[in-house]
Amino acid sequence: MSESSRVHSDAAAPHVSPFHRAKGEPRFPGGPAPDPAGSHHERRIRSFQPRRSRVTTGQAEALERLWPRWGLDIDGRRVLDLDELFGGRGLPVVLEIGFGMGEATAQMAAEDPATGVLAVDVHTPGQGNLLALAERAGLTNVRVANGDAIILLREMLPPASLAGLRVYFPDPWPKKRHHKRRLIQPEFLDLVAPRLAPGALVHCATDWEPYAEQMLEVLTAHPDFENTVPDGGYAPRPAFRPLTRFEGQGLDKGHVVNDLLFRRR
């Protein structure tokens, strides 16, 4: 997942109570579905754990108003036309898995309007927050996807359709018995590689050093990817990746953040 799995913002903001709904009524009519692919029927170890957390009034309003225009549920029932999804403008599209509250995603989209960002998460407050940020900044190059990124990659994205992949601060699953839940694994890269166009950039970042070592190992070993660092190893944080509040807090505590930049062969 992302930094939202460990830190939540807007703690003191007004929120929408689920008790105001009648039994069986959707939490956000016209908004993200609670389980778009019926994924609880699929027997697979997941890298994320959905959480119900409180949604501010502003986030709820953004979900109800903007989701029909800029949101999509990962239902696994169709193959997406990414050019159509982004308004037929021929934008190269980068997939971002796990965007937290969306501040960094919105900033990067604003600084690179010629690139479409398909941002995936299961955290409802973050989905609403990113939609609100995109509207406030006048962004037209952000789309928010709700659900399991594995189903999106496996069922809904055409071959060579992505110009890049971003995975920033995924859940490190620090306990050894949970390492199999980590997203960056050889099997995940096998799924990702065919969806990436040649030359597409894979950018990962984590503040959990053992996970960074695993990421470096599996990316280096995979035949479809090459390290952009000539001598191998980690890359300096590129200027285009914003320093987030969560990351700053970790650095203040002495955490080491490692970036990995690999390219699709």
Side-chain angles (χ1 to χ4, degrees):
M1 291 292 301
S2 63
E3 61 201 59
S4 67
S5 62
R6 287 171 279 176
V7 176
H8 302 302
S9 64
D10 292 338
H15 65 282
V16 175
S17 170
F19 299 108
H20 292 163
R21 294 177 288 124
K23 185 176 181 180
E25 183 182 346
R27 192 179 186 195
F28 302 103
D35 190 10
S39 55
H40 55 285
H41 295 299
E42 186 181 3
R43 297 185 180 276
R44 174 171 56 80
I45 296 172
R46 287 179 179 77
S47 63
F48 64 91
Q49 185 151 357
R51 305 166 317 285
R52 295 187 70 86
S53 51
R54 74 183 194 172
V55 177
T56 68
T57 302
Q59 292 161 359
E61 191 274 338
L63 285 167
E64 293 179 5
R65 189 167 50 82
L66 299 173
W67 189 262
R69 188 175 11 150
W70 290 339
L72 67 100
D73 282 316
I74 299 173
D75 56 16
R77 297 174 184 172
R78 66 198 189 282
V79 176
L80 296 174
D81 183 331
L82 293 182
D83 187 46
E84 179 182 347
L85 183 66
F86 284 86
R89 293 179 289 159
L91 300 180
V93 176
V94 170
L95 175 65
E96 182 172 351
I97 300 177
F99 56 80
M101 296 306 292
E103 294 97 338
T105 304
Q107 183 176 337
M108 294 176 73
E111 292 173 355
D112 185 12
T115 296
V117 180
L118 178 55
V120 181
D121 211 310
V122 294
H123 188 225
T124 311
Q127 293 167 351
N129 201 58
L130 178 54
L131 288 170
L133 289 171
E135 183 183 50
R136 195 176 307 146
L139 305 179
T140 60
N141 60 329
V142 175
R143 300 294 183 269
V144 180
N146 168 56
D148 189 339
I150 298 297
I151 295 175
L152 175 69
L153 284 161
R154 192 183 64 205
E155 309 289 350
M156 300 179 67
L157 291 178
S161 58
L162 295 174
L165 171 70
R166 298 170 183 164
V167 183
Y168 298 154
F169 303 98
D171 195 321
W173 295 102
K175 295 181 180 179
K176 188 173 182 179
R177 68 177 184 270
H178 292 155
H179 286 183
K180 58 190 175 183
R181 294 184 176 274
R182 289 176 173 174
L183 180 64
I184 307 301
Q185 309 271 6
E187 298 80 8
F188 174 73
L189 297 181
D190 290 342
L191 179 62
V192 166
R195 276 74 180 172
L196 294 172
L201 192 67
V202 174
H203 184 190
C204 302
T206 180
D207 65 335
W208 194 260
E209 290 187 82
Y211 196 7
E213 293 168 1
Q214 176 183 327
M215 290 179 176
L216 182 60
E217 179 181 347
V218 299
L219 280 162
T220 300
H222 201 283
D224 290 332
F225 298 98
E226 60 182 351
N227 200 333
T228 62
V229 178
D231 298 327
Y234 304 114
R237 181 177 70 86
F240 62 78
R241 182 176 73 75
L243 183 68
T244 66
R245 180 176 62 253
F246 166 82
E247 183 179 356
Q249 291 169 348
L251 292 171
D252 290 341
K253 296 175 183 176
H255 295 185
V256 175
V257 176
N258 287 298
D259 284 77
L260 300 96
L261 290 167
F262 279 71
R263 197 171 299 281
R264 174 75 162 95
R265 294 184 189 276

